[in-house]
Amino acid sequence: MTGAAGESPEETGTAEPDLPDPVWKVAVGLASEALPTIRPEDIPKSIRRFARFAPAKRASLAATPLQHELETNPTFRQRVAEVLRNAKKVDVAGVQLEASTDTDPVAAAAIAYLYRGDDWRETIAAAQRHVRAEQEHHDEAARIQAAHQRAAHAEHERATLEREVEKLRAELTQAREEIAAVKRQHKETAKELREVSKRERKARDAASADKGRLKQADEAHRAETRQLKSQLDDSLRDLERARRGAKEARELNESRTWLLLETISGAARGLRRELALDPVERPPADFIAEDVARQPEGQAQPQERALAADDPARLDDLLALPHAHLIIDGYNVTLSGYAELTLEQQRSRLVRSLGGIAAQAGAEVTVVFDGADKVPGAVSGPRGVRVLFSRKGQTADDVIKALVRNEPNGRPVVVISSDKEVALGTSRHGAYALPSAALLRRLSRG
């Protein structure tokens, strides 16, 4: 080759030709073989580390950066060409003979790209034509093979259709034979049907005669049944009269007893509902003493017997009544007693504490909190304690009032709430309303 090796596009004023992929593959492979023999300082930094790799690993990992350096670094490309020339791995004179039939156009183009002889562009152009011709040949072979495959598929489809036609012909013959058999069977069936019709007419005539005899027997049976039913009805009426007499006597006694009890309990319920009295704080004698009598100076006044509204002893007395029901306005109590805690902590503390009261007093305990259908952190009550949450659009006060209204008259119901509206509303229905302080003092006592 001539001394034009290493010329760059800037020096010649022409653009770099596009190398086909097969040419690039050979050029990069030659550069990969030459890389370990080039001085490290002459190797670009981007590919210097690949020089220490094994040949196979270097060829696969360094392909892209090697191609980039060969395209953009004329000095490195010239170093590769010199190493290959010195190692006598490339017959430069053979490359220039691009018209020779013994020269591989792809390998010749790769070597020509590295050496940049006088006719290197013509050698690359010949390789491009060779690659295009190979690709066209490959495409043509693929089209031919696809045509063969389509022809074979069509032949297979034709053979399949022929088999299907033969199968359908056989089925048609079989269907015709079955139709002929069905026709013969139909004729035989029609003949049998005519004979059956004759026998049926004879049977109907015989049945008509039997029907007349059965009708006479049925009329006789019905007459006997009516007579027996009349006798049975008479017996049932006699039995019913006896039962009614016993039932009326029992109902009369029960009515008298019920009327007496209802009169007594109705009077008690009416007085409790109308008066709604709280336990008295001063006995009647105190009022008489102030109006019509004198007491010696220095004499001690008699100690009051009534308990304060928030006295826990008053709550204990009410819970000791038979079948007592304690209903608690939850947040009204917790916000009065331990408002510094979170709502979840308040609920947990109150519910746990109520378990002791339920166990000691044996009373039914219900605590109601404001809330929606699902309350985060809601706790379940211990044994004997019912925990309720008001639904959306409803308050705990509404739930408490509903609980009191649905209790039977005469059952002791104690409502714990400092809300005056709750206390007044539940007292009208016969409940005992106590402030939250009474329960808090009772819980602190243990």
Side-chain angles (χ1 to χ4, degrees), residues 8-35:
S8 64
E10 291 78 4
E11 295 171 350
T12 60
T14 58
E16 285 281 301
D18 292 332
L19 268 65
D21 290 340
V23 177
W24 270 121
K25 185 175 181 181
V26 175
V28 171
L30 293 172
S32 177
E33 292 181 9
L35 190 62

Side-chain angles (χ1 to χ4, degrees), residues 181-230:
V182 169
K183 287 181 178 179
R184 290 192 299 271
Q185 185 177 3
H186 175 68
K187 291 181 180 179
E188 295 176 356
T189 304
K191 183 178 179 181
E192 292 177 358
L193 180 61
R194 287 192 295 271
E195 294 178 356
V196 169
S197 298
K198 292 179 182 179
R199 291 195 295 270
E200 184 181 1
R201 283 194 297 271
K202 293 180 179 180
R204 278 203 301 269
D205 295 339
S208 297
D210 293 339
K211 186 176 181 181
R213 292 192 295 272
L214 289 174
K215 184 177 181 180
Q216 294 176 358
D218 183 61
E219 290 177 355
H221 174 70
R222 287 184 180 181
E224 185 178 359
T225 303
R226 284 194 296 270
Q227 183 180 1
L228 293 175
K229 186 177 180 181
S230 176

Side-chain angles (χ1 to χ4, degrees), residues 81-98:
E82 291 174 356
V83 169
L84 295 175
R85 184 186 298 109
N86 294 336
K88 297 181 179 181
K89 290 194 175 187
V90 177
D91 186 359
V92 179
V95 171
Q96 293 175 347
L97 301 175
E98 62 178 88

